[in-house]
Amino acid sequence: MKKICAWCNKDLGEVPSGPDANPITHGICPDCAREVLSFKAEPLARFLDRFPGPIYVVNGELEVISANGEGAGVLGKSLDDFAGKLPGDAFDCKYDQEPGGCGRTEHCRTCTIRNTLTATLETGESHNDVPAYPDLLSVTEEKKLKFLISTEKLGFGVVLKIEEISEEEKGEERSRLSLAHKNPCRSG
């Protein structure tokens, strides 16, 4: 079965068929995605505000291109402060200031957020409620944050949603943000 761009009808190749396949017959080609997103900054952020919980959109280079208000609030920044930055820069990873920056330090190989985004971008496979323990500059002493993250592939990038944020202190976990509502990154 063929897959085509829903905007320009460009051929996007074949999709699997058969009893176990979940064929998607329409998508968006990179040219149309760029066109749609060329005016994206404020409209996309407003659209994302319709969904609960911190949500970020990253492009094919893993640069954060937009977020909803809750996503910006979790970072304590405005969208302008982190748009176009890599996740480590946006989230203030304590290793992003090392030589090479986000994605190029020895710590990046084990970064769950980066690895989950990359896997979703490369394979198209969604990931749900993945535990991540980011090393953030804002975390000091014996406190450690735990995120539960979910990702969903878009034609041009990935949606990252933080499902829950909890704080661990000396082995005890306290929920800072628990999102019990439906995840817009999941279908159904």
Side-chain angles (χ1 to χ4, degrees):
M1 185 180 306
K2 289 242 183 243
K3 183 175 182 179
I4 63 169
C5 177
W7 279 263
C8 71
N9 293 321
K10 181 179 183 179
D11 183 7
L12 298 177
E14 296 288 322
V15 294
S17 59
D20 294 332
N22 186 10
I24 299 172
T25 59
H26 290 75
I28 185 168
C29 70
D31 292 333
C32 288
R34 276 191 291 281
E35 183 70 28
V36 168
L37 292 175
S38 65
F39 58 90
K40 59 84 187 127
E42 190 58 34
L44 182 55
R46 275 198 305 254
F47 172 75
L48 294 174
D49 278 337
R50 296 178 188 169
F51 301 99
I55 298 175
Y56 309 88
V57 178
V58 300
N59 65 17
E61 287 77 41
L62 293 185
E63 299 164 331
V64 178
I65 59 169
S66 194
N68 65 0
E70 285 187 68
V74 163
L75 300 179
K77 302 176 180 181
S78 73
L79 178 58
D80 291 337
D81 292 335
F82 60 86
K85 294 186 177 182
L86 295 170
D89 300 322
F91 283 85
D92 286 332
C93 172
K94 68 182 184 181
Y95 304 113
D96 74 325
Q97 298 301 314
E98 289 187 4
C102 180
R104 294 182 182 88
T105 74
E106 65 183 63
H107 306 283
C108 299
R109 288 180 287 160
T110 59
C111 175
T112 302
I113 294 173
R114 182 174 192 79
N115 291 336
T116 305
L117 286 168
T118 301
T120 298
L121 187 64
E122 291 175 354
T123 68
E125 182 181 334
S126 299
H127 297 271
N128 297 302
D129 296 328
V130 177
Y133 297 88
D135 291 320
L136 308 177
L137 285 174
S138 59
V139 179
T140 59
E141 301 167 13
E142 298 180 45
K143 296 178 185 175
K144 185 176 186 179
L145 289 182
K146 175 185 176 185
F147 288 3
L148 289 181
I149 61 170
S150 295
T151 57
E152 178 76 25
K153 175 83 161 87
L154 297 175
F156 58 88
V158 178
V159 173
L160 167 68
K161 182 167 193 295
I162 298 176
E163 300 290 344
E164 180 179 312
I165 301 173
S166 55
E167 189 176 271
E168 292 181 351
E169 191 170 354
K170 296 183 182 179
E172 293 181 24
E173 189 172 313
R174 292 191 316 240
S175 181
R176 290 181 52 180
L177 170 67
S178 182
L179 306 170
H181 41 272
K182 185 170 176 67
N183 176 0
C185 291
R186 295 184 195 154
S187 58

